[in-house]
mmCIF file of all heavy atoms in Angstrom:
data_model
loop_
_atom_site.group_PDB
_atom_site.id
_atom_site.type_symbol
_atom_site.label_atom_id
_atom_site.label_comp_id
_atom_site.label_asym_id
_atom_site.label_seq_id
_atom_site.Cartn_x
_atom_site.Cartn_y
_atom_site.Cartn_z
ATOM 1 N N GLU A 253 51.056 128.243 12.215
ATOM 2 C CA GLU A 253 51.378 127.242 11.200
ATOM 3 C C GLU A 253 52.748 126.619 11.407
ATOM 4 O O GLU A 253 52.940 125.433 11.155
ATOM 5 C CB GLU A 253 51.260 127.829 9.787
ATOM 6 C CG GLU A 253 51.965 129.170 9.556
ATOM 7 C CD GLU A 253 53.440 129.031 9.251
ATOM 8 O OE1 GLU A 253 53.891 127.905 8.958
ATOM 9 O OE2 GLU A 253 54.154 130.039 9.327
ATOM 10 N N ASP A 254 53.746 127.398 11.863
ATOM 11 C CA ASP A 254 55.064 126.808 12.024
ATOM 12 C C ASP A 254 55.136 125.940 13.274
ATOM 13 O O ASP A 254 55.920 124.984 13.323
ATOM 14 C CB ASP A 254 56.155 127.882 12.030
ATOM 15 C CG ASP A 254 55.967 128.933 13.103
ATOM 16 O OD1 ASP A 254 54.841 129.047 13.632
ATOM 17 O OD2 ASP A 254 56.935 129.651 13.412
ATOM 18 N N ILE A 255 54.317 126.236 14.291
ATOM 19 C CA ILE A 255 54.253 125.362 15.461
ATOM 20 C C ILE A 255 53.717 123.991 15.051
ATOM 21 O O ILE A 255 54.279 122.947 15.394
ATOM 22 C CB ILE A 255 53.360 125.976 16.554
ATOM 23 C CG1 ILE A 255 53.879 127.353 16.975
ATOM 24 C CG2 ILE A 255 53.257 125.044 17.751
ATOM 25 C CD1 ILE A 255 55.245 127.326 17.609
ATOM 26 N N TRP A 256 52.623 124.002 14.302
ATOM 27 C CA TRP A 256 52.036 122.752 13.800
ATOM 28 C C TRP A 256 53.030 122.015 12.902
ATOM 29 O O TRP A 256 53.230 120.810 13.031
ATOM 30 C CB TRP A 256 50.750 123.070 13.039
ATOM 31 C CG TRP A 256 50.051 121.879 12.465
ATOM 32 C CD1 TRP A 256 50.278 121.295 11.257
ATOM 33 C CD2 TRP A 256 49.004 121.117 13.084
ATOM 34 N NE1 TRP A 256 49.444 120.226 11.069
ATOM 35 C CE2 TRP A 256 48.652 120.092 12.165
ATOM 36 C CE3 TRP A 256 48.334 121.210 14.296
ATOM 37 C CZ2 TRP A 256 47.641 119.161 12.457
ATOM 38 C CZ3 TRP A 256 47.324 120.286 14.577
ATOM 39 C CH2 TRP A 256 46.993 119.284 13.674
ATOM 40 N N SER A 257 53.655 122.734 12.010
ATOM 41 C CA SER A 257 54.641 122.137 11.107
ATOM 42 C C SER A 257 55.778 121.501 11.896
ATOM 43 O O SER A 257 56.251 120.404 11.570
ATOM 44 C CB SER A 257 55.183 123.205 10.154
ATOM 45 O OG SER A 257 56.192 122.678 9.321
ATOM 46 N N GLY A 258 56.240 122.188 12.941
ATOM 47 C CA GLY A 258 57.324 121.654 13.754
ATOM 48 C C GLY A 258 56.940 120.381 14.480
ATOM 49 O O GLY A 258 57.756 119.446 14.601
ATOM 50 N N LEU A 259 55.705 120.300 14.964
ATOM 51 C CA LEU A 259 55.242 119.081 15.621
ATOM 52 C C LEU A 259 55.196 117.927 14.625
ATOM 53 O O LEU A 259 55.578 116.793 14.948
ATOM 54 C CB LEU A 259 53.853 119.314 16.227
ATOM 55 C CG LEU A 259 53.790 120.365 17.345
ATOM 56 C CD1 LEU A 259 52.341 120.634 17.734
ATOM 57 C CD2 LEU A 259 54.592 119.920 18.559
ATOM 58 N N CYS A 260 54.751 118.216 13.410
ATOM 59 C CA CYS A 260 54.700 117.176 12.373
ATOM 60 C C CYS A 260 56.097 116.655 12.043
ATOM 61 O O CYS A 260 56.336 115.448 12.004
ATOM 62 C CB CYS A 260 54.036 117.721 11.112
ATOM 63 S SG CYS A 260 52.264 118.042 11.257
ATOM 64 N N VAL A 261 57.035 117.570 11.795
ATOM 65 C CA VAL A 261 58.367 117.142 11.375
ATOM 66 C C VAL A 261 59.093 116.419 12.505
ATOM 67 O O VAL A 261 59.868 115.487 12.259
ATOM 68 C CB VAL A 261 59.185 118.345 10.861
ATOM 69 C CG1 VAL A 261 59.608 119.263 11.989
ATOM 70 C CG2 VAL A 261 60.408 117.874 10.084
ATOM 71 N N LYS A 262 58.805 116.781 13.766
ATOM 72 C CA LYS A 262 59.498 116.112 14.877
ATOM 73 C C LYS A 262 59.043 114.669 15.023
ATOM 74 O O LYS A 262 59.883 113.760 15.217
ATOM 75 C CB LYS A 262 59.248 116.872 16.187
ATOM 76 C CG LYS A 262 60.005 116.294 17.386
ATOM 77 C CD LYS A 262 61.510 116.240 17.139
ATOM 78 C CE LYS A 262 62.300 115.916 18.397
ATOM 79 N NZ LYS A 262 62.038 114.562 18.911
ATOM 80 N N ILE A 263 57.759 114.392 14.949
ATOM 81 C CA ILE A 263 57.340 113.005 15.106
ATOM 82 C C ILE A 263 57.743 112.169 13.892
ATOM 83 O O ILE A 263 57.984 110.974 14.016
ATOM 84 C CB ILE A 263 55.820 112.895 15.374
ATOM 85 C CG1 ILE A 263 54.998 113.382 14.191
ATOM 86 C CG2 ILE A 263 55.438 113.632 16.636
ATOM 87 C CD1 ILE A 263 53.515 113.062 14.356
ATOM 88 N N VAL A 264 57.846 112.799 12.722
ATOM 89 C CA VAL A 264 58.342 112.088 11.545
ATOM 90 C C VAL A 264 59.818 111.746 11.733
ATOM 91 O O VAL A 264 60.251 110.628 11.434
ATOM 92 C CB VAL A 264 58.115 112.920 10.269
ATOM 93 C CG1 VAL A 264 58.852 112.298 9.086
ATOM 94 C CG2 VAL A 264 56.633 113.027 9.958
ATOM 95 N N CYS A 265 60.604 112.700 12.238
ATOM 96 C CA CYS A 265 62.020 112.437 12.488
ATOM 97 C C CYS A 265 62.188 111.324 13.514
ATOM 98 O O CYS A 265 63.049 110.443 13.363
ATOM 99 C CB CYS A 265 62.721 113.709 12.974
ATOM 100 S SG CYS A 265 63.047 114.926 11.683
ATOM 101 N N ASP A 266 61.385 111.345 14.565
ATOM 102 C CA ASP A 266 61.460 110.292 15.579
ATOM 103 C C ASP A 266 61.151 108.926 14.974
ATOM 104 O O ASP A 266 61.819 107.927 15.274
ATOM 105 C CB ASP A 266 60.487 110.577 16.723
ATOM 106 C CG ASP A 266 60.919 111.760 17.581
ATOM 107 O OD1 ASP A 266 62.097 112.170 17.476
ATOM 108 O OD2 ASP A 266 60.087 112.280 18.342
ATOM 109 N N HIS A 267 60.138 108.881 14.130
ATOM 110 C CA HIS A 267 59.731 107.610 13.527
ATOM 111 C C HIS A 267 60.792 107.075 12.563
ATOM 112 O O HIS A 267 61.050 105.867 12.527
ATOM 113 C CB HIS A 267 58.401 107.790 12.797
ATOM 114 C CG HIS A 267 57.933 106.561 12.076
ATOM 115 N ND1 HIS A 267 57.429 105.453 12.737
ATOM 116 C CD2 HIS A 267 57.912 106.258 10.746
ATOM 117 C CE1 HIS A 267 57.110 104.520 11.847
ATOM 118 N NE2 HIS A 267 57.381 104.982 10.633
ATOM 119 N N LEU A 268 61.407 107.960 11.797
ATOM 120 C CA LEU A 268 62.374 107.540 10.782
ATOM 121 C C LEU A 268 63.807 107.485 11.318
ATOM 122 O O LEU A 268 64.730 107.156 10.571
ATOM 123 C CB LEU A 268 62.317 108.491 9.578
ATOM 124 C CG LEU A 268 60.987 108.525 8.821
ATOM 125 C CD1 LEU A 268 61.060 109.527 7.675
ATOM 126 C CD2 LEU A 268 60.614 107.143 8.287
ATOM 127 N N GLY A 269 64.001 107.801 12.598
ATOM 128 C CA GLY A 269 65.332 107.735 13.187
ATOM 129 C C GLY A 269 66.244 108.862 12.753
ATOM 130 O O GLY A 269 67.461 108.668 12.623
ATOM 131 N N LEU A 270 65.683 110.054 12.561
ATOM 132 C CA LEU A 270 66.460 111.229 12.188
ATOM 133 C C LEU A 270 66.589 112.164 13.392
ATOM 134 O O LEU A 270 65.807 112.080 14.337
ATOM 135 C CB LEU A 270 65.790 111.966 11.024
ATOM 136 C CG LEU A 270 65.603 111.156 9.746
ATOM 137 C CD1 LEU A 270 64.741 111.923 8.754
ATOM 138 C CD2 LEU A 270 66.940 110.794 9.129
ATOM 139 N N GLY A 271 67.578 113.059 13.346
ATOM 140 C CA GLY A 271 67.843 113.942 14.467
ATOM 141 C C GLY A 271 67.417 115.373 14.224
ATOM 142 O O GLY A 271 67.389 115.851 13.081
ATOM 143 N N VAL A 272 67.111 116.081 15.316
ATOM 144 C CA VAL A 272 66.777 117.503 15.298
ATOM 145 C C VAL A 272 67.669 118.197 16.327
ATOM 146 O O VAL A 272 67.735 117.768 17.484
ATOM 147 C CB VAL A 272 65.298 117.741 15.653
ATOM 148 C CG1 VAL A 272 64.997 119.238 15.730
ATOM 149 C CG2 VAL A 272 64.389 117.063 14.640
ATOM 150 N N LYS A 273 68.341 119.259 15.910
ATOM 151 C CA LYS A 273 69.213 120.006 16.815
ATOM 152 C C LYS A 273 68.651 121.395 17.065
ATOM 153 O O LYS A 273 67.975 121.975 16.208
ATOM 154 C CB LYS A 273 70.629 120.127 16.239
ATOM 155 C CG LYS A 273 71.387 118.808 16.165
ATOM 156 C CD LYS A 273 72.798 119.021 15.656
ATOM 157 C CE LYS A 273 73.561 117.705 15.569
ATOM 158 N NZ LYS A 273 74.946 117.895 15.087
ATOM 159 N N THR A 274 68.979 121.932 18.239
ATOM 160 C CA THR A 274 68.586 123.300 18.575
ATOM 161 C C THR A 274 69.723 123.987 19.320
ATOM 162 O O THR A 274 70.574 123.327 19.918
ATOM 163 C CB THR A 274 67.303 123.312 19.429
ATOM 164 O OG1 THR A 274 66.876 124.666 19.636
ATOM 165 C CG2 THR A 274 67.535 122.665 20.781
#
Side-chain angles (χ1 to χ4, degrees):
E253 49 83 14
D254 57 342
I255 302 296
W256 180 273
S257 177
L259 296 173
C260 290
V261 72
K262 184 57 169 66
I263 65 170
V264 170
C265 285
D266 290 345
H267 177 73
L268 297 179
L270 301 171
V272 176
K273 292 183 180 181
T274 185

